[in-house]
Amino acid sequence: MIYLNGSWIADDEAKISVLDLSVLRGFGIFDYLRTYGKKPFMLESHIDRFFNSAHLMGMEPVLTKAEIADIVLQGIEKSAFAQTNIKFIQTGGVSPDGFTPSEKQSFFVYFYEFHDFPKEQYTQGTAHRTSRVMRQLPEAKTINYAASITEVVKAQKLGFEDILHTDNVGNIYEGTRCNFYGIKNDTLITANKGILEGITRKVIFEIAKELGIEIDFRFVTTAELPELDEAFTSNSSHEIVPTVRIDSTSIGDGVVGPLTIRFMEEFRKRTLN
Amino acid sequence: MIYLNGSWIADDEAKISVLDLSVLRGFGIFDYLRTYGKKPFMLESHIDRFFNSAHLMGMEPVLTKAEIADIVLQGIEKSAFAQTNIKFIQTGGVSPDGFTPSEKQSFFVYFYEFHDFPKEQYTQGTAHRTSRVMRQLPEAKTINYAASITEVVKAQKLGFEDILHTDNVGNIYEGTRCNFYGIKNDTLITANKGILEGITRKVIFEIAKELGIEIDFRFVTTAELPELDEAFTSNSSHEIVPTVRIDSTSIGDGVVGPLTIRFMEEFRKRTLN
């Protein structure tokens, strides 16, 4: 079910002009959240981030925060899934010069059923491949994944789950749709700039504080991968997923580590409220 | 007039699913050319580049080169403009996971009237602003202009025409939709890697050869801007446009230089055949 510019429509009937700047120029922002049961998780934070993305991209949000929240709650009811994925998108609209964002931008919300991910991701962990492709304006959640998709498809053919955006001196920033964390000597290491600030990441920081785990805000580097005890990624759909290999380097013992399990358990608790 | 997946339709009726990967993930490639009169300029080269973009992005072209050429020629006749802009686009299609390109991708060609650009661009030149935003997979002509658009809108508010993608050591790569050239001591300087290889650029190299002008294939750097005699950009719509200022530095005497005029004239001659 899709809410598009004021109407509720079936998935296969929701259409947009091919001249919309999303199609011609990949110009748009979005945010994504899921429900636990019928309850959206961290809805306000996701809407706040969407507004921040709009600001960074020089876009004026089409709807107010309250209006978006209302549509999200309505859509959860209407779509009636056991659990729901929710993606809201604002695109540049149809522009006279095919480049400058339009005064009349499009907004839609896509509601689709949430299915659990394969258990093995959580019990056995996943492998990531570093890539020199870097995100542009990384603090904004734009729809631009063109280069990332090409890199991920290549990586997946080699048995990796995702890529890690890594600069030319070996600083690891984040995955294509997730934040990245290393653990060394019981300290959590994670980037604090040049990344999208995940909503799950905020929750992880709360958990770290509660558990008394120190956070070292810096890039994990490729050079130190052999010294890491554990690593994981986080996002709003997969929650926390252990990373047990990066390129050809096993992380720690190559199995899911105890602190990662702790974070996964604590995170899940918070989704039950 | 738009050719979309096999049909000819009016501009405002050509629609695509909001779940197409172009909209959800900015995933698509395109190419653009124009006609002089009814004659498409360098059609074969543009189609070849489109196929190269597809290859770099891991996409399978929906149509053959001959089929695309045929649609372009048909569309020029059907749309009946004095001169025509032609843009062909292939998008990732609707994908089950909303990320991996679909087996069934979309293809459309947009025909719209070509209007001359303001004469002043050519007689007085334009100003460019350097930007640290770099293109991703720059050799592929993807639809990803999200960050570029935001940067250009900011630059235009300050009186610049466009940005120049410039890395953190001051190497100038190209504009958002054009190649960039400096001229120093009668030598043409232009990047030879990390850029989209323009079709107009190929013609400029032919002209340089004919005029006996040497080409130094390397990046112009921001540090050497005060030493440049002339600068210009090129693309398939604007042809060759003089650049007379970059950031706060005047190029040469701050007016359109003689070699730039020579290139402009020689290029125009080639469009008359």
Side-chain angles (χ1 to χ4, degrees):
Chain A
M1 169 161 290
I2 294 174
Y3 172 95
L4 173 62
N5 295 328
S7 307
W8 293 93
I9 29 190
D11 291 0
D12 54 2
E13 282 163 21
K15 299 201 167 170
I16 196 168
S17 170
V18 296
L19 304 181
D20 189 280
L21 283 191
S22 55
V23 183
L24 295 185
R25 300 290 185 183
F27 191 83
I29 52 164
F30 77 106
D31 221 290
Y32 162 89
L33 72 157
R34 58 163 290 192
T35 66
Y36 290 89
K38 300 279 187 190
K39 209 173 154 193
F41 189 66
M42 305 285 286
L43 174 57
E44 233 175 279
S45 297
H46 284 281
I47 294 176
D48 285 347
R49 186 170 66 178
F50 183 73
F51 270 60
N52 187 50
S53 297
H55 173 70
L56 292 171
M57 297 304 289
M59 297 167 84
E60 197 63 51
V62 169
L63 298 182
T64 65
K65 291 184 180 185
E67 285 167 336
I68 295 174
D70 186 52
I71 292 164
V72 167
L73 296 175
Q74 277 186 58
I76 293 166
E77 282 309 310
K78 279 179 195 283
S79 55
F81 297 124
Q83 303 199 90
T84 313
N85 293 298
I86 300 148
K87 188 177 263 201
F88 39 95
I89 301 197
Q90 182 169 327
T91 70
V94 177
S95 151
D97 69 358
F99 193 82
T100 313
S102 166
E103 298 286 305
K104 197 169 170 296
Q105 307 202 343
S106 269
F107 177 83
F108 68 93
V109 190
Y110 176 34
F111 298 87
Y112 53 111
E113 189 162 15
F114 178 84
H115 298 286
D116 284 331
F117 295 100
K119 283 232 161 21
E120 298 72 40
Q121 291 190 359
Y122 304 96
T123 56
Q124 296 174 21
T126 58
H128 282 72
R129 188 186 195 204
T130 57
S131 163
R132 286 284 175 84
V133 167
M134 297 298 287
R135 293 182 64 228
Q136 301 171 308
L137 302 184
E139 296 86 358
K141 199 166 173 72
T142 73
I143 61 171
N144 170 35
Y145 288 80
S148 296
I149 286 174
T150 297
E151 287 285 283
V152 170
V153 168
K154 274 189 221 161
Q156 288 182 340
K157 281 184 185 150
L158 298 169
F160 297 95
E161 181 69 20
D162 192 11
I163 60 163
L164 294 171
H165 297 290
T166 304
D167 70 15
N168 54 9
V169 296
N171 290 320
I172 299 176
Y173 285 64
E174 60 190 326
T176 57
R177 292 149 290 168
C178 57
N179 289 129
F180 174 74
Y181 313 76
I183 296 173
K184 190 155 75 170
N185 303 328
D186 295 334
T187 296
L188 192 66
I189 310 167
T190 196
N192 209 16
K193 60 179 178 184
I195 58 162
L196 184 80
E197 291 191 12
I199 307 301
T200 307
R201 179 174 173 270
K202 294 203 317 189
V203 179
I204 286 169
F205 293 165
E206 287 172 22
I207 295 171
K209 201 174 170 186
E210 264 189 39
L211 298 180
I213 293 172
E214 225 176 292
I215 307 177
D216 190 358
F217 286 112
R218 63 170 179 85
F219 297 113
V220 173
T221 67
T222 49
E224 75 181 323
L225 290 177
E227 302 155 22
L228 290 186
D229 300 318
E230 304 181 33
F232 63 84
T233 59
S234 75
N235 70 23
S236 297
S237 56
H238 292 71
E239 303 172 340
I240 293 167
V241 181
T243 304
V244 294
R245 182 163 61 89
I246 296 173
D247 296 333
S248 59
T249 305
S250 284
I251 303 302
D253 302 325
V255 297
V256 179
L259 272 184
T260 302
I261 292 172
R262 208 57 215 284
F263 275 109
M264 287 163 64
E265 287 170 351
E266 289 299 322
F267 185 88
R268 291 250 161 107
K269 275 188 207 161
R270 282 169 164 74
T271 65
L272 301 176
N273 301 323
Chain B
M1 168 161 289
I2 293 173
Y3 171 96
L4 174 62
N5 296 330
S7 307
W8 292 93
I9 29 188
D11 292 0
D12 55 2
E13 282 164 21
K15 299 200 166 169
I16 197 168
S17 170
V18 298
L19 304 181
D20 188 280
L21 283 192
S22 56
V23 183
L24 294 186
R25 299 290 185 183
F27 191 82
I29 53 164
F30 77 108
D31 220 292
Y32 162 90
L33 72 157
R34 56 162 291 193
T35 66
Y36 290 90
K38 299 280 188 193
K39 209 173 152 190
F41 189 66
M42 306 284 286
L43 175 57
E44 232 174 277
S45 297
H46 284 282
I47 295 176
D48 285 349
R49 186 171 66 180
F50 183 74
F51 270 61
N52 187 50
S53 297
H55 172 70
L56 291 170
M57 297 305 288
M59 297 167 85
E60 197 63 51
V62 168
L63 298 182
T64 65
K65 291 184 180 184
E67 285 167 335
I68 295 175
D70 187 51
I71 292 163
V72 167
L73 296 176
Q74 277 186 57
I76 293 168
E77 282 309 311
K78 279 179 195 284
S79 55
F81 297 126
Q83 304 199 89
T84 314
N85 293 299
I86 301 147
K87 189 176 260 198
F88 39 94
I89 301 196
Q90 180 169 328
T91 70
V94 177
S95 149
D97 69 359
F99 192 83
T100 312
S102 164
E103 298 285 304
K104 197 168 169 298
Q105 307 202 343
S106 268
F107 177 82
F108 68 93
V109 190
Y110 175 35
F111 298 86
Y112 54 112
E113 190 164 13
F114 178 83
H115 298 286
D116 284 331
F117 296 101
K119 283 233 164 13
E120 298 72 42
Q121 291 190 0
Y122 304 96
T123 57
Q124 296 174 20
T126 58
H128 282 73
R129 188 185 196 204
T130 57
S131 163
R132 286 285 175 82
V133 167
M134 297 298 287
R135 294 182 61 228
Q136 301 171 309
L137 302 184
E139 296 86 358
K141 199 165 174 69
T142 72
I143 60 171
N144 169 34
Y145 288 80
S148 295
I149 287 174
T150 297
E151 287 287 281
V152 169
V153 169
K154 273 189 221 163
Q156 289 182 339
K157 281 185 185 148
L158 298 169
F160 297 95
E161 181 70 22
D162 192 13
I163 60 162
L164 294 171
H165 297 290
T166 304
D167 70 16
N168 56 8
V169 296
N171 291 320
I172 299 176
Y173 285 64
E174 61 188 327
T176 55
R177 291 149 290 167
C178 55
N179 288 128
F180 174 73
Y181 312 77
I183 296 175
K184 190 156 74 169
N185 304 327
D186 295 334
T187 295
L188 192 68
I189 310 166
T190 197
N192 209 15
K193 61 178 178 186
I195 58 163
L196 184 78
E197 292 191 10
I199 306 302
T200 307
R201 180 173 172 271
K202 292 204 316 188
V203 180
I204 285 169
F205 294 166
E206 286 171 23
I207 295 170
K209 202 174 170 189
E210 262 188 41
L211 298 180
I213 294 171
E214 227 175 288
I215 307 176
D216 190 359
F217 286 111
R218 64 170 178 84
F219 297 114
V220 172
T221 67
T222 49
E224 74 180 328
L225 290 178
E227 301 155 24
L228 290 186
D229 301 318
E230 305 181 32
F232 62 85
T233 59
S234 74
N235 70 23
S236 297
S237 56
H238 292 71
E239 305 172 340
I240 293 167
V241 181
T243 304
V244 295
R245 183 163 61 87
I246 295 172
D247 296 333
S248 57
T249 305
S250 284
I251 302 302
D253 301 327
V255 296
V256 180
L259 273 183
T260 302
I261 291 174
R262 209 56 216 285
F263 275 109
M264 287 162 67
E265 287 171 351
E266 290 298 322
F267 185 87
R268 291 250 161 109
K269 277 188 206 160
R270 281 170 164 73
T271 65
L272 301 176
N273 301 323

Short mmCIF file of all heavy atoms in Angstrom, two decimals, chain A residues 3 47 61-74 107 109:
data_model
loop_
_atom_site.label_atom_id
_atom_site.label_comp_id
_atom_site.label_asym_id
_atom_site.label_seq_id
_atom_site.Cartn_x
_atom_site.Cartn_y
_atom_site.Cartn_z
N TYR A 3 0.93 5.59 0.02
CA TYR A 3 0.35 6.92 0.10
C TYR A 3 1.15 7.79 -0.86
O TYR A 3 2.37 7.91 -0.72
CB TYR A 3 0.47 7.44 1.53
CG TYR A 3 0.08 8.90 1.67
CD1 TYR A 3 -1.21 9.27 2.05
CD2 TYR A 3 1.01 9.92 1.41
CE1 TYR A 3 -1.57 10.60 2.17
CE2 TYR A 3 0.65 11.25 1.52
CZ TYR A 3 -0.64 11.59 1.90
OH TYR A 3 -0.99 12.90 2.00
N ILE A 47 11.66 10.77 11.42
CA ILE A 47 11.10 11.97 10.78
C ILE A 47 12.06 13.15 10.96
O ILE A 47 12.29 13.92 10.03
CB ILE A 47 9.69 12.28 11.33
CG1 ILE A 47 8.72 11.15 10.93
CG2 ILE A 47 9.19 13.62 10.78
CD1 ILE A 47 7.32 11.30 11.51
N PRO A 61 10.51 20.38 3.02
CA PRO A 61 9.61 19.22 3.18
C PRO A 61 8.18 19.56 2.73
O PRO A 61 7.67 20.64 3.02
CB PRO A 61 9.65 18.95 4.69
CG PRO A 61 10.97 19.48 5.12
CD PRO A 61 11.20 20.71 4.27
N VAL A 62 7.58 18.62 2.01
CA VAL A 62 6.23 18.82 1.47
C VAL A 62 5.20 18.80 2.60
O VAL A 62 4.22 19.52 2.57
CB VAL A 62 5.91 17.72 0.43
CG1 VAL A 62 4.45 17.73 0.05
CG2 VAL A 62 6.80 17.89 -0.81
N LEU A 63 5.43 17.96 3.60
CA LEU A 63 4.49 17.82 4.71
C LEU A 63 5.17 18.17 6.03
O LEU A 63 6.40 18.15 6.13
CB LEU A 63 3.96 16.38 4.79
CG LEU A 63 3.19 15.87 3.58
CD1 LEU A 63 2.70 14.44 3.85
CD2 LEU A 63 1.99 16.76 3.26
N THR A 64 4.36 18.45 7.02
CA THR A 64 4.91 18.70 8.36
C THR A 64 5.26 17.37 9.03
O THR A 64 4.82 16.30 8.60
CB THR A 64 3.90 19.43 9.25
OG1 THR A 64 2.79 18.53 9.47
CG2 THR A 64 3.40 20.72 8.61
N LYS A 65 6.02 17.46 10.10
CA LYS A 65 6.37 16.25 10.86
C LYS A 65 5.11 15.54 11.37
O LYS A 65 5.01 14.32 11.30
CB LYS A 65 7.28 16.63 12.04
CG LYS A 65 8.66 17.08 11.60
CD LYS A 65 9.58 17.36 12.79
CE LYS A 65 10.95 17.80 12.31
NZ LYS A 65 11.92 17.97 13.40
N ALA A 66 4.16 16.33 11.84
CA ALA A 66 2.92 15.74 12.38
C ALA A 66 2.13 15.05 11.27
O ALA A 66 1.55 13.97 11.48
CB ALA A 66 2.07 16.82 13.05
N GLU A 67 2.10 15.66 10.10
CA GLU A 67 1.39 15.05 8.97
C GLU A 67 2.02 13.72 8.57
O GLU A 67 1.32 12.73 8.30
CB GLU A 67 1.36 16.01 7.77
CG GLU A 67 0.37 17.17 7.95
CD GLU A 67 0.55 18.29 6.93
OE1 GLU A 67 1.67 18.44 6.37
OE2 GLU A 67 -0.42 19.04 6.71
N ILE A 68 3.35 13.69 8.53
CA ILE A 68 4.03 12.44 8.17
C ILE A 68 3.75 11.37 9.21
O ILE A 68 3.40 10.23 8.87
CB ILE A 68 5.56 12.66 8.01
CG1 ILE A 68 5.83 13.61 6.83
CG2 ILE A 68 6.28 11.33 7.80
CD1 ILE A 68 7.29 14.01 6.66
N ALA A 69 3.84 11.74 10.48
CA ALA A 69 3.58 10.77 11.56
C ALA A 69 2.16 10.22 11.44
O ALA A 69 1.93 9.00 11.60
CB ALA A 69 3.78 11.44 12.92
N ASP A 70 1.23 11.08 11.11
CA ASP A 70 -0.16 10.66 10.99
C ASP A 70 -0.35 9.67 9.84
O ASP A 70 -1.02 8.65 9.98
CB ASP A 70 -1.03 11.91 10.79
CG ASP A 70 -2.50 11.58 10.80
OD1 ASP A 70 -2.93 10.92 11.77
OD2 ASP A 70 -3.21 11.95 9.85
N ILE A 71 0.28 9.97 8.70
CA ILE A 71 0.19 9.06 7.54
C ILE A 71 0.82 7.71 7.88
O ILE A 71 0.29 6.66 7.52
CB ILE A 71 0.91 9.69 6.32
CG1 ILE A 71 0.12 10.91 5.84
CG2 ILE A 71 1.07 8.67 5.19
CD1 ILE A 71 0.91 11.82 4.92
N VAL A 72 1.93 7.73 8.58
CA VAL A 72 2.60 6.48 8.96
C VAL A 72 1.66 5.63 9.83
O VAL A 72 1.48 4.42 9.58
CB VAL A 72 3.93 6.76 9.69
CG1 VAL A 72 4.47 5.50 10.37
CG2 VAL A 72 4.97 7.33 8.71
N LEU A 73 1.04 6.26 10.81
CA LEU A 73 0.15 5.51 11.71
C LEU A 73 -1.07 4.99 10.95
O LEU A 73 -1.47 3.83 11.12
CB LEU A 73 -0.26 6.38 12.89
CG LEU A 73 0.91 6.80 13.81
CD1 LEU A 73 0.43 7.76 14.90
CD2 LEU A 73 1.59 5.57 14.43
N GLN A 74 -1.63 5.81 10.09
CA GLN A 74 -2.76 5.38 9.26
C GLN A 74 -2.37 4.20 8.38
O GLN A 74 -3.13 3.23 8.24
CB GLN A 74 -3.20 6.51 8.33
CG GLN A 74 -4.13 7.54 8.93
CD GLN A 74 -4.58 8.52 7.84
OE1 GLN A 74 -5.16 8.11 6.83
NE2 GLN A 74 -4.29 9.80 8.04
N PHE A 107 5.81 13.40 -2.78
CA PHE A 107 6.03 12.72 -1.50
C PHE A 107 5.20 11.45 -1.49
O PHE A 107 4.02 11.46 -1.83
CB PHE A 107 5.60 13.63 -0.35
CG PHE A 107 5.73 12.98 1.00
CD1 PHE A 107 6.96 12.97 1.67
CD2 PHE A 107 4.64 12.36 1.60
CE1 PHE A 107 7.09 12.34 2.91
CE2 PHE A 107 4.76 11.75 2.85
CZ PHE A 107 6.00 11.74 3.49
N VAL A 109 4.71 7.43 0.68
CA VAL A 109 5.09 6.50 1.76
C VAL A 109 4.72 5.09 1.31
O VAL A 109 3.57 4.85 0.91
CB VAL A 109 4.39 6.83 3.09
CG1 VAL A 109 5.01 5.99 4.22
CG2 VAL A 109 4.47 8.31 3.41
#
